[in-house]
Amino acid sequence: MINCGIIGTGKYIPSRKVDNKFVARKTKTSKDWIYKKTGIKQRFFANKEETCSYMSYKASLKAIKNSKIKKDEIDYIICCTFSADYKFPSLASKVSQLLGLKNAGCYDLMANCTGFQIGISAAAEKLHADKKIKKILVIGAALQSKFLNWKKPEDCMYFGDGAGAAIVARVPKNYGYIASDLIGNSSAYEDVRLVGGGSNLTFNEANKNEKLKFLYSMNGLETWKQVVTYQPLVIEKTLKKSKLNIAKINLFVFHQANLNLIKYLIEKMGISKDKVHNTMVKYGNTADASLAITLADAVSKKKVKKGDYVLISGVGAGFVFGCTLLKWF
């Protein structure tokens, strides 16, 4: 066990509430059909002032406050996102600027919807390896509303914006990070993607017929197949490393991709629904932010207490499946 864990969390939800009635009108479907397919009743979109860095900054302030630390105590910032304000510099650098930090190390980590989980593991391992580092700010952030294809319901009806953050620091012996694991299955590399803006299709290279390539493209059926096949495997691998069985876990935090998918997954794995905290109904799929937002929401609702085993597991495009297990402090 690495004696580094989460000492505080925070989240930021943007201002514009978007219900299923709005999405139904945009996609020429029905609000009841959207809810049946997704389990979502609403999601939130950022307004013009709510940039990805602004949302990340606001979530960070809450995490810092809830950790009862001063912002100057932060040694590193890890931002997990695909939707930073700029292609470069990093979102972490911008958050550092907004926080007024001068010497904190900062970088972005891009693993899509399991990025925050990987970020937490990376932070714990960094703290363990370097005794001079004391506290690391990990952020999951997503501003997706600008990348939605309203001509295809599957490519737009799930998604919302937001940010979540956590402070990772050293904790007493027998608490904190226990284990983590990753599985990659690149055979479905093309099934969830955003092509435009990468080096294969830049703005200068694109013609007027390629505009849709700068928006989300997703194969929902393939995503379902990937999750139900590989997410149980990465959870099982992590539990095996931990020498714990699934019944010992007190709280499960899953990426909020689709409520029906989460229900199927927990039934397949024999997990009690009372141990799973979901935020999808009110926030939708917030991609890189969903694990961070859901964890912060669970903490604020006192769903986790000292000594609880908390399992965080996500799936990111590519596909990347991750799991991190903590003993809560």
Side-chain angles (χ1 to χ4, degrees):
M1 177 181 283
I2 298 175
N3 301 126
C4 303
I6 295 171
I7 63 169
T9 61
K11 70 178 189 293
Y12 180 82
I13 306 301
S15 57
R16 182 185 170 197
K17 184 189 290 187
V18 178
D19 60 19
N20 286 345
K21 186 177 179 180
F22 173 89
V23 177
R25 186 169 66 251
K26 292 278 283 186
T27 57
K28 298 180 181 179
T29 57
S30 75
K31 62 179 183 179
D32 292 335
W33 178 82
I34 292 169
Y35 178 70
K36 183 178 179 181
K37 293 284 287 185
T38 67
I40 300 167
K41 290 185 177 179
Q42 63 186 39
R43 72 287 290 147
F44 291 79
F45 287 177
N47 64 32
K48 188 175 181 180
E49 290 74 33
E50 291 170 316
T51 61
C52 194
S53 59
Y54 176 84
M55 295 191 296
S56 300
Y57 167 67
K58 298 295 279 188
S60 298
L61 289 178
K62 291 179 181 178
I64 291 166
K65 180 180 179 180
N66 290 332
S67 300
K68 298 179 181 178
I69 67 167
K70 296 178 181 179
K71 63 181 182 179
D72 292 336
E73 296 180 54
I74 295 169
D75 298 300
Y76 261 77
I77 301 174
I78 302 172
C79 283
C80 311
T81 189
F82 84 91
S83 55
D85 296 3
Y86 299 161
K87 189 73 176 175
F88 66 88
S90 71
L91 177 62
S93 294
K94 182 63 177 178
V95 173
S96 179
Q97 182 191 70
L98 292 171
L99 288 171
L101 304 181
K102 294 181 179 179
N103 298 311
C106 44
Y107 67 90
D108 285 0
L109 187 160
M110 208 282 280
N112 296 96
C113 303
T114 198
F116 179 76
Q117 168 265 319
I118 297 174
I120 293 297
S121 296
E125 290 161 5
K126 183 69 174 174
L127 284 161
H128 181 68
D130 190 339
K131 302 303 181 186
K132 292 182 179 179
I133 297 172
K134 304 297 183 185
K135 295 174 178 66
I136 297 178
L137 169 62
V138 182
I139 301 164
L143 204 168
Q144 305 178 95
S145 53
K146 295 184 178 184
F147 301 97
L148 303 182
N149 181 0
W150 293 103
K151 294 181 179 180
K152 292 180 65 179
E154 187 178 81
D155 292 347
C156 64
M157 64 183 180
Y158 294 94
F159 304 109
D161 301 333
I167 301 294
V168 181
R170 289 184 180 81
V171 294
K173 188 177 180 180
N174 299 321
Y175 292 96
Y177 174 97
I178 299 173
S180 67
D181 214 320
L182 286 174
I183 294 176
N185 179 29
S186 56
S187 66
Y189 176 78
E190 300 288 349
D191 285 291
V192 179
R193 61 185 186 172
L194 180 55
V195 175
S199 58
N200 274 6
L201 184 64
T202 65
F203 174 81
N204 287 335
E205 293 171 312
N207 60 50
K208 63 180 181 180
N209 296 320
E210 293 177 309
K211 184 177 180 181
L212 291 180
K213 291 187 177 180
F214 287 80
L215 304 176
Y216 270 18
S217 175
M218 185 175 78
N219 182 335
L221 180 59
E222 184 59 37
T223 301
W224 183 289
K225 290 178 181 177
Q226 290 283 320
V227 171
V228 299
T229 301
Y230 291 100
Q231 199 162 8
L233 292 180
V234 77
I235 292 170
E236 289 164 8
K237 286 180 70 179
T238 305
L239 288 170
K240 187 175 181 180
K241 284 183 180 181
S242 310
K243 297 181 181 179
L244 291 171
N245 62 54
I246 205 162
K248 290 285 186 180
I249 307 304
N250 302 99
L251 177 70
F252 293 84
V253 177
F254 292 118
H255 166 49
Q256 305 292 289
N258 180 324
L259 191 59
N260 296 325
L261 180 54
I262 292 173
K263 288 178 178 178
Y264 183 91
L265 179 67
I266 65 175
E267 184 176 345
K268 179 178 180 178
M269 298 195 69
I271 299 168
S272 168
K273 65 179 181 180
D274 295 331
K275 292 184 175 184
V276 180
H277 188 66
N278 294 317
T279 57
M280 172 157 265
V281 174
K282 57 183 178 179
Y283 300 139
N285 178 344
T286 53
D288 311 63
S290 81
L291 289 170
I293 287 172
T294 304
L295 178 62
D297 197 72
V299 172
S300 69
K301 290 178 169 55
K302 303 187 185 304
K303 294 286 187 75
V304 58
K305 62 183 185 298
K306 185 176 179 178
D308 280 355
Y309 290 109
V310 179
L311 186 147
I312 305 169
S313 181
V315 50
F319 276 80
V320 181
F321 303 87
C323 182
T324 296
L325 182 59
L326 305 162
K327 188 174 183 181
W328 202 258
F329 173 70

